[in-house]
Amino acid sequence: MSLVEKIDLQRVPRHIAIIMDGNGRWAKERNLDRSQGHRKGLDIVHEITNDAADLGVECLTLYAFSTENWNRPQAEVDALMALVVYGIERETPGMIENGVRLSVIGDTSRMPLEVQQRLQKCIEDTAAGTRITLNLALSYSARWEITHAAQQLAQEAAQGIIKPEEIDDKMFASRLTTAQLSDPDLLIRTGGEQRISNFLLWQLSYAEFYFTDEYWPDFNKESLCKAIIDFQNRERRYGKTSEQVQSNDQV
Ligand code: IPE
Ligand code: IPE
Ligand code: MG
């Protein structure tokens, strides 16, 4: 039985978020430049997006560049920005053809203008895609996002548009960059680290976490299937008892 056959297609996570880590170590092990690891990582983004869509995943959020990554050596930052432009240019026609809709979360105003413009054009060109949403986290950090939402709500309250006591978790979530998306069901981190690195702190409240030692450039459809199978073997209790969850399932 293949790994794909072991997946219950009725219970595939609707939204998967991935911390794509390990490009640099993958390159180092091969005596390559770190940027070559990122380049290989881009090919994996292409593969995994299509694999996830084939399995029925509705949204894939990929952590591609964090706020903290601005502190990397300038040459690496430049190479990553150039890779975004190259990747968008290369992938847009295939995305349109395959029904992949691009969205972006993060403080993109910090990115070079050309990158911002290419991203915007790809978002517009792929807007009709309904097979899967590819949501790229670029210049993203959860603390930036949460403080930004808090600022916005404070401004609205100061202007009398909302009352402070009206702020609840729904309203808060509607001011986050992910307002249009459901929360991730599954978080995958490649590269062996078991930390969240300022990613989707709010949205991952009830996600299942899956860590693998594989470096992102080695991640493939089989790895994705393993993560989904692991996810399907868990019981999401949301604070309830196992008995409550099982009796609800029967109703
Ligand atoms: C993840 O790979 C990609 C980005 C953060 C842009 P890394 O570049 O962090 O790879 P390692 O962790 O150094 O191996
Ligand atoms: C997290 O990876 C960010 C991305 C994958 C874009 P890092 O490699 O930057 O994370 P840390 O520094 O190990 O926590
Ligand atoms: Mg890393």
Side-chain angles (χ1 to χ4, degrees), residues 20-26 34 38 64-65 69 72 76 80:
M20 308 183 288
D21 199 15
N23 294 352
R25 282 164 285 163
W26 180 90
R34 291 178 62 86
H38 298 315
F65 192 85
N69 289 149
R72 291 200 176 185
E76 181 166 349
L80 281 164

Side-chain angles (χ1 to χ4, degrees), residues 23 31 38 62 92 94 111 116 127 141 152 171 184 195 242 246:
N23 294 352
N31 283 320
H38 298 315
L62 300 179
T92 302
M111 303 179 85
Q116 294 181 43
S141 80
Q152 202 180 319
M171 188 185 281
R195 56 177 171 250
S242 186
Q246 281 167 22

Side-chain angles (χ1 to χ4, degrees), residues 36-96:
Q36 289 172 280
H38 298 315
R39 173 74 195 256
K40 175 75 179 162
L42 172 65
D43 297 340
I44 307 303
V45 169
H46 172 102
E47 296 297 326
I48 293 300
T49 304
N50 286 316
D51 294 338
D54 287 345
L55 291 167
V57 175
E58 291 168 23
C59 181
L60 184 65
T61 294
L62 300 179
Y63 205 7
F65 192 85
S66 71
T67 302
E68 290 73 21
N69 289 149
W70 287 115
N71 299 320
R72 291 200 176 185
Q74 192 59 43
E76 181 166 349
V77 171
D78 291 346
L80 281 164
M81 292 301 132
L83 193 63
V84 174
V85 171
Y86 169 81
I88 291 294
E89 181 134 304
R90 189 182 81 178
E91 298 295 326
T92 302
M95 290 170 75
I96 295 168

Side-chain angles (χ1 to χ4, degrees), residues 20 28 30 44 56 64 92-93 99 104 123 127 154 166 185 198 221:
M20 308 183 288
K28 198 171 175 199
R30 287 161 181 76
I44 307 303
T92 302
V104 174
I123 289 169
E166 284 172 356
D185 303 290
N198 217 347
K221 186 170 190 177

